[in-house]
């Protein structure tokens, strides 16, 4: 089973998020370079920390580019989770690396992955990042003398977790509400598209037989009939339908039309078109079919339609008058006129034959 396509609004949100991440990481690299090269007089990070952070951000941006290219793909949630984990680890590493320098206070940066986690994976993402950062902060505070050679400030376990939790809950809930709104919009758009398809089906198809109607015939002809190749049209009218309708009722007449439609569909190719114009009149559009082949199809259709039809307790027999026309100019209206004229000529011949048979008997 194929996954449902991602809604356009969600794709746009994902794309905006990835662009924001790419730009932010690029800005961080520029800032680090400024700290190390352009403005060396400003007290700040060590060269090793700065270079490591810049390289890490640049490498993460490679994954960010991949995530940006995957926003509409079913793999995006997994890619997004990996990117969130890497971003979080990068911030934690930066905080750990700077903990030995009292001039640097990087722990407030830990709220950034929480906000990103909320937009990527809603409340679950925000709380997951918060839990990882809280554990990392506690470990750094407890083991800071061994890790960085000094005891870090208590803010890391007193102020930071509370601030991070508030940010995680607020942004997570806001993101959940936003995603719910997107889901509702996507469902509404899908419903409207389904309704539009249903209305289109109703507008282009005959409700009784399920065949196309006159509108579908002309739309299909405009899209698929082109000058050059032979195109044939068969115009078909049932002989004896009125008698069945009058004798057995409209329900039996409707059933006879449904049987006729099924037999017509069974005798033509999948890419040919069978439509009901109205009453007991049908049209068959045959692609890439010359005159000889069209008359062969007409003969086969008539043979099929003259087979007895069981309607309740009654068995009826009907005939069909089928006119054919073939042309290479792609003019459907002209083909219809020629085929219709031939159909009426054949119908008159059938009528005269039946009268002669009745008179002879």
């Amino acid at each position: 089973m194929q996954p449902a396509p991602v809604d356009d609004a969600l794709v746009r949100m994902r794309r905006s998020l990835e662009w924001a991440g790419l730009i932010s990481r690029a800005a961080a690299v520029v800032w680090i370079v400024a700290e190390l090269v352009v403005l060396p007089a400003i007290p700040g990070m060590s060269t090793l920390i700065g270079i490591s952070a810049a390289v890490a951000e640049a490498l993460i941006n490679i994954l960010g580019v991949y995530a940006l290219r995957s926003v509409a793909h079913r793999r995006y949630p997994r890619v997004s989770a990996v990117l969130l984990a890497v971003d979080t680890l990068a911030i934690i590493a930066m905080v750990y690396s700077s903990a030995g320098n009292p001039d640097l206070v990087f722990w407030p940066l830990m709220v950034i992955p929480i906000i990103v986690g909320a937009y990527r994976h809603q409340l679950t993402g925000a709380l997951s990042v918060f839990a990882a950062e809280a554990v990392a902060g506690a470990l750094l505070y407890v083991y800071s003398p061994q890790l960085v050679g000094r005891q870090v400030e208590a803010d890391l376990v007193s102020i930071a977790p509370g601030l991070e939790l508030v940010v995680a809950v607020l942004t997570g809930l806001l993101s959940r509400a936003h995603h719910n709104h997107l889901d509702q919009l996507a469902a509404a758009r899908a419903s409207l598209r389904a309704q539009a398809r249903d209305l289109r089906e109703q507008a282009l198809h005959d409700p009784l037989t399920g065949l196309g109607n006159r509108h579908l015939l002309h739309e299909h002809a405009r899209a698929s009939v082109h000058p050059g190749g032979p195109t044939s049209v068969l115009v078909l009218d049932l002989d004896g339908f009125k008698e069945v309708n009058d004798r057995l009722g409209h329900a039996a007449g409707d059933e006879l039309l449904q049987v006729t439609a099924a037999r017509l569909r069974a005798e033509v190719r999948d890419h040919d078109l069978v439509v009901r114009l109205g009453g007991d009149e049908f049209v068959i559009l045959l692609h890439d079919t010359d005159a000889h082949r069209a008359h062969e199809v007409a003969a086969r259709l008539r043979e099929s339609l003259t087979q007895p039809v069981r309607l309740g307790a009654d068995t009826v027999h009907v005939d069909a008058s089928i006119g054919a026309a073939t042309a290479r100019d792609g003019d459907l209206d002209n083909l219809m006129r020629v085929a219709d004229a031939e159909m009426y000529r054949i119908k008159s011949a059938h009528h005269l034959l039946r009268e002669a048979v009745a008179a002879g008997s």
Side-chain angles (χ1 to χ4, degrees), residues 92-134:
I92 292 174
M94 188 176 297
V95 172
Y96 268 57
S97 300
S98 63
N101 189 338
D103 293 326
L104 294 175
V105 181
F106 274 3
W107 70 258
L109 295 178
M110 296 172 78
V111 300
I112 296 176
I114 294 175
I115 298 173
V116 175
Y119 272 90
R120 288 188 183 281
H121 301 284
Q122 305 175 50
L123 186 60
T124 301
L127 291 178
S128 298
V129 174
F130 159 73
E133 292 183 340

Side-chain angles (χ1 to χ4, degrees), residues 201-215:
E201 287 295 308
Q202 295 173 21
L204 297 177
H205 289 81
D206 171 47
L208 176 63
T209 63
L211 297 177
N213 58 19
R214 189 184 300 272
H215 299 297

Side-chain angles (χ1 to χ4, degrees), residues 205 210-213 216-217 220-221 224-225 230-234 261 263-276 283-290 293-298 300-301 325 332:
H205 289 81
L211 297 177
N213 58 19
L216 181 61
L217 174 63
H220 184 81
S224 60
V225 177
T231 300
S232 295
V233 166
L234 306 180
R263 290 181 177 180
L264 292 176
R265 276 195 296 255
E267 295 295 337
V268 299
R269 299 165 300 187
D270 291 340
H271 63 277
D272 294 327
L273 180 67
V274 182
V275 304
R276 179 188 175 210
V283 171
I284 300 94
L285 181 63
L286 303 172
H287 296 287
D288 299 319
T289 303
D290 59 23
R293 175 64 178 160
H295 282 91
E296 287 183 344
V297 174
R300 190 171 67 245
L301 291 177
L332 177 64

